[in-house]
């Protein structure tokens, strides 16, 4: 070591006082960060990666404290520094970017003013040139028309732009350390790429050090000099990002890498060798009859919404049609079909209309135009409000994006699974319902003794299994999977994806898989439909579309996926 | 040294996310495997041991409950029997709280009054809980005209000075205990309707509601089986808080001569009776019923805080 590192974390243990005694979130970790270096901290949820960064900034919860070790930031002992000194340090010397940019911005203050606030707080500018400096910051984070956007409120900007503003706030006082905590989770791949490119460009230009906290090993390897892998509060491996992909040392890193979907991989390849498969894997597969009529046929489907803020014209009140510009077409005449036993991926970035489409097929939302033919019958004409109690309901089911949100916090797992069985399955005897719940739990690989637990007592993967069990409880013919693994860790995602594939093969269901993650779609889907602004851009088999894309947009999407250095 | 002041200093982050400590679900859920009742008892014990004031409130509540249920069997004298020879006696071993102008034992009257005051409070709160709660969750869940009717009704009631409104209702409907109950329920309606509306409104788009729709539940069924259990905890807390207010309101109406009529023992009337005697030095007539009233209100408010800790999972760190 020729020079002293900017940040030195030595033997740090962070403890939280909880009802069940003291919980060690981070144990005996050592990290040192040189000047101008970019360090990635990678780990799954609960690995203590965020807690580490909070300890550096000393913004831990009241219940948490640095129990052991030392944190030294450019000669200052962070652990024992006075609160006043820390306040001065935060923002000026080290700053942070959080996951949700909208939550990090004050919704009722102009973004330009918010940048000025930071500059004023740390006396970085005179009142005279405040505005000038704020506009300059906006220009640096590549916001188009910065003078105009200075007056914008956060809700007027897109998620990606909000994250740029947050970056501008973080960099306004020229700090020496930037901590980015999952800065691009929740952003689209193309936005993720531009935001990350921007962070790297700006921090390099200023010679800043960066800590990037992420669950995405690929992202960390693509943008960082060094990567620290954490598991359960401990550091298991520290390596140069150029070497970690080629020769991971620790078993956990290897497992993590294996579980990350990549080009040329298989579904089974995501699992560790000794993984236990669900009972569905060993059941006989149902072969697909490709010549049969399609199960679902969507023709020229349209969904229109009145544009936000559009006032009704006088003519409209008297029954004249609304002018075209006051109507927003979320789904603009799309057509596709799903064969029996087939899985079709519906991909696109946020706002492309893929969720609206799935909601209409699901009959939770009424269409504006077009046909939804399911099993030979046009179900699109039945109003969504009435569909819930019809027998057709049980033929189309859904697995939701957020397993936590989709389970009633006051119902046990068994009751969640039993709900469709009792309402539509025709079973009402307690024993019979219970038996069916246990059968389903076994099928999805959920230990039967967990059935009496409440959602908050289950892990993310277990909750996902409950959601899947509920969706397949009525033997549906079509299951819509709305980003079923987006809220899960990669290792859990690997298991859930395999489970979904096995269930499909053994039960003969069709899947409509809605996702933004092309690597996952590639593994699970037979055919892919790429959507953009409510229209189908490209359609074909997964190999065709993702292997040799024809549309520019598909190519753009594929290129934005972070690729580790080879 | 509180975390808020520290977080506000982070320039890039006006709002920091809550630090989450990952407890492995397996160990977190270990003892929670037991039945719901046991879990609630365990939680209650924990809250009481963490916060002795809640324990105190529970003890006070128990005292009130005993007085209300077994009052007639504990009191030493008949609360209605006047004995002019013993009129206006100060507190002594014979008459713990002294006697009033008709020689009635104030201790006996205070204890007996508990039942009436509690009955008024409990029934009015139960009534408003049912009406306000159900109309509120329906308003929040369905929106549309139900929402307009419920919200505007709540606004209308809120526009009046509430105690004056209660006076008006009792005066118009007639001077009975039933009407006090109705009046107390009406003036509390906006609170319940608004809380229930907000709580159900944030859940109408939740994933589990959509999942229930997919399971074949009708909208009303979703409202009662999915939304209501989630709104319940906060409503129960609200119940405890309004109980104190309801007691005060009932006593207040009686104090000004509406509602319960003498000689029925009731805290409000007793305070009103004693008010005239304070200047002449007979302070005990008004003091003890007033003290009982104060303790009851105090107890319910503390209990509300304690209940919030019990039902709020956020506090279960």
């Amino acid at each position: 070591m020729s020079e002293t590192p900017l940040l030195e974390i030595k033997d740090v243990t962070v403890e939280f006082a909880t009802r069940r005694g003291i919980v060690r979130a981070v144990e005996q970790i050592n990290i040192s960060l040189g000047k101008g270096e970019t360090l990635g901290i990678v780990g799954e949820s609960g690995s203590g990666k965020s807690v580490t960064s909070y300890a550096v900034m000393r913004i831990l919860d009241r219940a948490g404290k640095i129990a052991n070790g030392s944190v030294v930031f450019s000669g200052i002992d962070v652990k024992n520094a006075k609160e006043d000194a820390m306040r001065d340090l935060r923002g000026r010397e080290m700053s942070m970017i959080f996951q949700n940019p909208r939550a990090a911005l004050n919704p009722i203050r102009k973004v330009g003013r918010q940048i000025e606030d930071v500059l004023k707080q740390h006396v970085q500018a005179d009142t005279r040139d405040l505005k000038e400096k704020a506009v300059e910051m906006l220009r640096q984070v590549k916001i188009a028309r910065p003078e105009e956007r200075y007056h914008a409120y956060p809700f007027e900007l897109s998620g990606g732009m909000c994250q740029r503003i947050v970056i501008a706030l973080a960099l306004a006082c020229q700090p020496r350390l930037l901590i980015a905590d999952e800065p691009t989770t929740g952003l689209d791949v193309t936005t993720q790429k531009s935001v990350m490119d921007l962070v790297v460009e700006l921090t390099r230009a200023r010679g800043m050090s960066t800590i990037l906290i992420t669950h995405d090993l690929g992202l960390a390897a693509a943008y960082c000099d060094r990567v620290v892998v954490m598991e359960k509060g401990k550091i298991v491996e520290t390596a140069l990002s150029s070497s970690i992909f080629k020769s991971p040392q620790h078993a956990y890193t290897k497992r993590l890498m294996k579980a990350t979907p990549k080009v040329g991989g298989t579904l089974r390849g995501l699992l560790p060798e000794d993984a236990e498969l669900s009972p569905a894997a060993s059941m006989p597969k149902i072969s697909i009859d490709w010549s049969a009529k399609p199960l679902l046929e969507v023709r020229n489907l349209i969904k229109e919404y009145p544009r936000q803020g559009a006032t009704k014209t006088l003519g409209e009140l008297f029954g004249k049609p609304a002018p075209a510009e006051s109507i927003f077409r979320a789904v603009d005449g799309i057509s596709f079909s799903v064969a029996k036993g087939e899985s079709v991926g519906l991909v696109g970035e946020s706002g492309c209309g893929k969720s609206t489409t799935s909601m209409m097929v699901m009959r939770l939302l009424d269409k504006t135009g077009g046909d939804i033919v399911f099993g030979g019958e046009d179900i699109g004409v039945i109003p969504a409000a009435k569909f819930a109690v019809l027998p057709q309901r049980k033929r189309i089911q859904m697995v939701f994006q957020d397993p936590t949100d989709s389970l009633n916090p006051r119902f046990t797992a068994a009751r969640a699974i039993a709900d469709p069985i009792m309402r539509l399955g025709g079973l009402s005897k307690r024993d019979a319902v219970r038996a069916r719940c246990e059968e389903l739990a076994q099928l999805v690989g959920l230990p039967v003794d967990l059935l009496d637990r409440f959602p908050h007592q289950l892990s993310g993967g277990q909750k996902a299994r409950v959601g899947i069990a509920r969706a397949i409880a009525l033997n549906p013919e079509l299951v819509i999977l709305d980003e079923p693994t987006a809220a899960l860790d990669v290792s859990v995602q690997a298991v859930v994806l395999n489970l979904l594939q096995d269930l499909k093969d053994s039960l003969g269901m069709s899947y409509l898989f809605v996702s933004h993650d092309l690597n996952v779609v590639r593994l699970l889907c037979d055919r892919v439909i790429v959507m953009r602004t409510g229209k189908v851009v490209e359609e074909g088999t997964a190999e065709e579309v993702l292997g040799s894309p024809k549309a520019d947009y598909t190519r753009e999407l594929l290129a934005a996926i972070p690729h580790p250095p080879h | 040294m509180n975390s808020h002041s520290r977080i506000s200093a982070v320039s890039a982050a006006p709002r920091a996310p809550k630090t989450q400590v990952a407890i492995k679900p397996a160990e977190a859920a270990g003892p929670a495997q037991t039945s719901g009742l046991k879990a609630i008892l365990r939680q209650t014990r924990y809250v009481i041991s963490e916060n002795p004031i809640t324990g105190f409130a529970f003890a006070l509540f128990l005292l009130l409950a005993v007085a209300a249920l077994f009052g007639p069997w504990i009191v030493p004298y008949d609360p209605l029997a006047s004995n002019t020879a013993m009129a206006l006696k100060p507190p002594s071993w014979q008459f713990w709280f002294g006697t009033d102008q008709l020689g009635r034992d104030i201790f006996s009257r205070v204890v007996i009054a508990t039942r009436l005051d509690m009955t008024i409070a409990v029934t009015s709160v139960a009534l408003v809980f049912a009406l306000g709660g159900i109309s509120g969750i329906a308003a929040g869940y369905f929106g549309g005209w139900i929402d307009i009717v419920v919200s505007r009704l709540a606004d209308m009631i809120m526009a009046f000075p509430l105690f004056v409104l209660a006076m008006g209702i009792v005066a118009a409907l007639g001077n009975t205990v039933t009407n006090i109950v109705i009046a107390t329920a009406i003036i509390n309606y906006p609170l319940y309707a608004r809380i229930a509306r907000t709580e159900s409104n944030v859940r109408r788009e939740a994933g589990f509601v959509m999942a229930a729709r997919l399971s074949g539940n009708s909208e009303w069924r979703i409202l009662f089986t999915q939304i209501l259990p989630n709104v319940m905890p906060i409503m129960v807390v609200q119940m405890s808080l309004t109980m104190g207010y309801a007691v005060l309101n009932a006593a207040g109406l009686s104090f000004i001569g509406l509602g319960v009529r003498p000689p029925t023992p009731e805290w409000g009337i007793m305070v009103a009776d004693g008010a005239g005697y304070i200047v002449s030095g007979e302070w005990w007539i008004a003091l003890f019923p007033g003290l009982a009233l104060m303790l009851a209100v105090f107890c319910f408010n503390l209990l509300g805080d304690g209940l919030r800790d019990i039902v709020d999972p956020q506090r279960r760190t």
Side-chain angles (χ1 to χ4, degrees):
Chain A
M1 279 273 166
S2 54
E3 55 176 335
T4 49
L6 179 70
L7 176 73
E8 181 96 65
I9 301 175
K10 247 196 181 136
D11 296 329
V12 163
T13 300
V14 177
E15 290 178 346
F16 284 85
T18 73
R19 271 178 70 180
R20 291 173 217 281
I22 285 172
V23 173
R24 286 207 172 146
V26 165
E27 247 184 302
Q28 299 278 324
I29 61 160
N30 290 290
I31 293 173
S32 86
L33 179 70
K35 290 195 178 83
E37 193 187 13
T38 306
L39 177 80
I41 302 182
V42 181
E44 296 188 297
S45 50
S47 62
K49 54 191 193 302
S50 288
V51 172
T52 308
S53 68
Y54 297 157
V56 171
M57 301 273 280
R58 227 178 68 192
I59 49 171
L60 290 165
D61 258 5
R62 252 184 312 174
K65 67 170 202 291
I66 303 173
N68 232 330
S70 68
V71 179
V72 179
F73 174 78
S74 72
I76 302 163
D77 180 3
V78 170
K79 190 183 160 197
N80 300 315
K82 283 217 172 63
E83 189 48 40
D84 281 355
M86 279 313 293
R87 202 169 298 161
D88 212 35
L89 219 55
R90 289 186 210 118
R92 206 181 64 195
E93 297 289 324
M94 43 170 142
S95 58
M96 199 156 180
I97 310 175
F98 290 102
Q99 181 173 347
N100 185 349
R102 275 189 210 282
L105 291 171
N106 186 340
I108 55 158
R109 207 161 158 72
K110 290 175 178 171
V111 292
R113 295 268 179 209
Q114 297 193 39
I115 298 176
E116 288 180 3
D117 290 343
V118 179
L119 292 169
K120 260 190 277 184
Q121 171 96 25
H122 295 287
V123 207
Q124 297 278 314
D126 288 329
T127 15
R128 275 168 288 132
D129 58 356
L130 257 182
K131 185 171 176 184
E132 220 172 279
K133 283 205 173 172
V135 171
E136 175 56 28
M137 280 313 301
L138 288 175
R139 186 170 296 125
Q140 283 183 16
V141 292
K142 297 189 177 152
I143 297 253
R145 307 196 305 279
E147 287 86 0
E148 217 175 289
R149 292 276 159 68
Y150 172 91
H151 297 288
Y153 290 98
F155 73 88
E156 297 174 316
L157 304 172
S158 68
M161 284 221 262
C162 280
Q163 192 59 289
R164 279 162 206 258
I165 305 283
V166 173
I167 294 169
L169 286 171
L171 299 185
C173 294
Q174 315 269 354
R176 284 188 281 169
L177 171 66
L178 176 72
I179 299 175
D181 187 356
E182 303 265 8
T184 56
T185 311
L187 298 180
D188 288 323
V189 269
T190 50
T191 320
Q192 161 170 299
K193 186 170 157 54
S194 62
V195 165
M196 281 315 297
D197 286 346
L198 179 71
V199 169
V200 168
E201 185 191 322
L202 291 176
T203 51
R204 288 249 163 86
R206 290 153 199 241
M208 286 168 58
S209 308
T210 311
I211 295 179
L212 172 68
I213 295 166
T214 178
H215 65 278
D216 187 342
L217 201 54
L219 187 74
Y223 288 100
C224 298
D225 305 321
R226 266 191 314 142
V227 176
V228 168
V229 182
M230 286 186 76
E231 185 199 12
K232 291 175 192 155
K234 294 195 179 92
I235 291 179
V236 295
E237 187 166 355
T238 307
L240 291 174
S241 53
S242 52
S243 68
I244 197 157
F245 261 84
K246 279 183 213 126
S247 55
Q249 298 301 311
H250 194 272
Y252 178 73
T253 319
K254 285 181 195 158
R255 213 162 60 233
L256 207 59
M257 282 185 42
K258 201 164 158 35
T260 310
K262 51 203 152 286
V263 184
T266 59
L267 261 182
R268 285 281 184 265
L270 301 178
L271 297 172
E273 275 88 12
D274 54 349
E276 268 182 59
L277 293 172
S278 70
S282 47
M283 285 172 23
K285 289 191 179 182
I286 290 178
S287 58
I288 307 173
D289 178 12
W290 293 100
S291 60
K293 275 184 83 178
L295 178 69
L296 173 77
E297 230 184 320
V298 171
R299 280 187 234 119
N300 205 18
L301 191 63
I302 295 169
K303 178 71 193 177
E304 288 176 344
Y305 289 106
R307 222 176 250 293
Q308 261 183 4
T311 44
K312 282 200 169 172
T313 60
L314 206 60
E316 252 181 284
L317 291 177
F318 290 105
K320 278 190 195 161
E325 65 267 23
S326 72
I327 284 173
F328 169 67
R329 278 200 169 180
V331 175
D332 194 0
I334 71 161
S335 307
F336 62 90
S337 65
V338 180
K340 197 163 167 44
E342 188 186 29
S343 61
V344 174
L346 201 56
V347 300
E349 298 192 290
S350 51
C352 73
K354 59 185 194 299
S355 291
T356 313
T357 306
S358 71
M359 284 302 194
M360 281 190 284
V361 173
M362 201 68 240
R363 302 307 305 126
L364 284 173
L365 195 67
D366 282 323
K367 57 170 185 162
T368 308
D371 303 318
I372 305 166
V373 181
F374 179 76
E377 182 192 4
D378 186 1
I379 58 167
V381 294
I382 306 168
K386 288 214 179 107
F387 199 76
V389 287
L390 294 180
Q392 286 99 316
R393 172 77 285 163
K394 64 180 186 183
R395 298 170 66 189
I396 314 176
Q397 289 290 320
M398 183 165 184
V399 177
F400 292 88
Q401 178 169 4
D402 185 346
T404 310
D405 179 57
S406 68
L407 295 177
N408 192 331
R410 306 194 75 82
F411 281 11
T412 60
R415 200 168 157 201
I417 301 173
D419 199 30
I421 302 173
M422 292 197 295
R423 307 305 316 155
L424 293 169
L427 286 180
S428 55
K429 284 238 177 63
R430 243 180 118 161
D431 298 344
V433 172
R434 178 75 193 185
R436 175 74 180 137
C437 285
E438 288 183 5
E439 189 188 329
L440 285 163
Q442 272 161 5
L443 197 61
V444 299
L446 182 75
V448 171
D449 53 317
L450 296 185
L451 277 177
D452 294 315
R453 289 200 183 174
F454 287 94
H456 70 268
Q457 297 165 334
L458 298 171
S459 71
Q462 287 163 347
K463 276 184 275 199
R465 284 169 203 263
V466 174
I468 293 169
R470 175 174 61 189
I472 63 167
L474 299 168
N475 294 319
E477 290 159 67
L478 175 68
V479 177
I480 294 181
L481 307 164
D482 184 9
E483 311 239 10
T485 58
L488 301 175
D489 281 327
V490 276
S491 58
V492 183
Q493 166 176 290
V495 179
V496 170
L497 289 176
N498 273 286
L499 170 67
L500 287 170
Q501 181 70 38
D502 295 337
L503 286 172
K504 183 181 85 94
D505 289 345
S506 57
L507 303 177
M509 298 179 286
S510 304
Y511 283 163
L512 184 60
F513 189 91
V514 180
S515 180
H516 69 277
D517 192 333
L518 295 170
N519 279 337
V520 171
V521 169
R522 192 195 310 263
L523 291 172
L524 198 68
C525 297
D526 304 316
R527 275 193 311 126
V528 176
I529 298 161
V530 182
M531 278 183 78
R532 187 185 198 183
T533 57
K535 288 196 174 81
V536 174
V537 175
E538 194 170 356
E539 190 183 346
T541 65
E543 274 164 55
E544 267 170 36
V545 175
L546 303 176
S548 50
K550 289 185 189 65
D552 290 341
Y553 180 65
T554 317
R555 253 177 254 138
E556 203 181 307
L557 278 180
L558 284 165
I561 302 171
H563 290 291
H566 290 293
Chain B
M1 279 295 281
N2 76 43
S3 60
H4 292 287
S5 70
R6 274 189 262 157
I7 286 167
S8 63
V10 187
S11 65
R15 259 184 62 189
K18 272 207 162 157
T19 316
Q20 283 176 352
V21 191
I23 306 169
K24 268 174 56 197
E27 58 193 60
Q33 284 281 33
T34 46
S35 71
L37 188 68
K38 267 190 189 157
I40 291 170
L41 283 178
R42 207 161 36 84
Q43 173 77 13
T44 310
R45 205 167 57 228
Y46 168 74
V47 169
I48 291 174
S49 64
E50 278 290 285
N51 187 356
I53 294 174
T54 307
F56 172 68
F58 270 104
L60 215 54
F61 177 72
L62 222 60
L63 190 73
L64 284 173
V66 168
L69 292 174
F70 306 110
W73 290 279
I74 5 181
V75 292
Y77 301 95
D78 181 352
L80 295 176
S82 52
N83 180 359
T84 33
M86 285 300 189
L88 297 174
K89 289 272 183 267
S92 63
W93 281 116
Q94 193 186 355
F95 303 104
W96 289 359
F97 291 178
T99 59
D100 64 6
Q101 70 278 18
L102 296 174
R104 295 174 295 195
D105 178 38
I106 292 178
F107 175 73
S108 302
R109 287 175 66 78
V110 165
V111 171
I112 293 296
T114 314
R115 183 183 286 183
L116 180 62
D117 277 290
M118 287 300 123
T119 312
I120 294 174
V122 169
T123 43
S124 66
V125 166
L127 190 67
V128 71
F129 179 78
L131 292 180
I134 291 170
S135 63
I137 58 169
Y141 184 70
F142 294 116
W145 65 268
I146 301 185
D147 189 18
I148 293 172
V149 170
V150 170
S151 299
R152 291 302 86 78
L153 188 64
D155 290 347
M156 250 162 59
I157 296 171
M158 287 293 267
F160 290 96
L162 293 181
F163 190 71
V164 176
L165 181 66
M167 275 166 57
I169 294 168
V170 176
L173 294 180
N175 227 349
T176 62
V177 173
T178 322
N179 290 340
I180 297 187
V181 170
I182 293 172
T184 313
I186 289 176
I187 62 169
N188 278 321
Y189 176 80
L191 262 178
Y192 282 84
R194 283 182 175 174
I195 289 175
R197 180 186 173 277
T198 318
E199 289 290 313
S200 89
N201 193 264
V202 296
R203 289 183 175 84
R204 66 191 272 194
E205 297 292 324
F208 65 83
V209 170
M210 274 197 267
R213 240 170 248 158
L214 297 188
S215 304
N217 292 281
S218 65
E219 294 296 298
W220 282 98
R221 218 191 128 77
I222 292 175
L223 189 65
F224 284 106
T225 60
Q226 307 276 338
I227 305 272
L228 188 63
N230 280 290
V231 178
M232 213 58 165
I234 191 130
M235 298 283 286
V236 169
V237 172
Q238 193 56 39
M239 252 175 119
S240 175
L241 293 174
T242 26
M243 276 284 274
Y245 186 57
V247 172
L248 208 56
N249 191 63
L253 286 174
S254 306
F255 181 87
I256 57 168
L258 286 164
V260 187
R261 275 185 247 193
T264 320
E266 200 280 337
W267 294 336
I269 299 174
M270 292 169 72
V271 174
D273 278 352
Y277 289 89
I278 292 177
V279 275
S280 54
E282 285 96 12
W283 48 267
W284 56 89
I285 305 178
L287 177 78
F288 289 106
L291 213 57
L293 191 57
M294 192 203 84
L295 281 179
V297 175
F298 187 54
C299 159
F300 285 121
N301 286 348
L302 288 182
L303 212 56
D305 285 350
L307 278 177
R308 179 164 47 216
D309 291 357
I310 290 172
V311 297
D312 184 0
Q314 294 281 313
R315 297 287 302 263
R316 299 185 195 179
T317 33

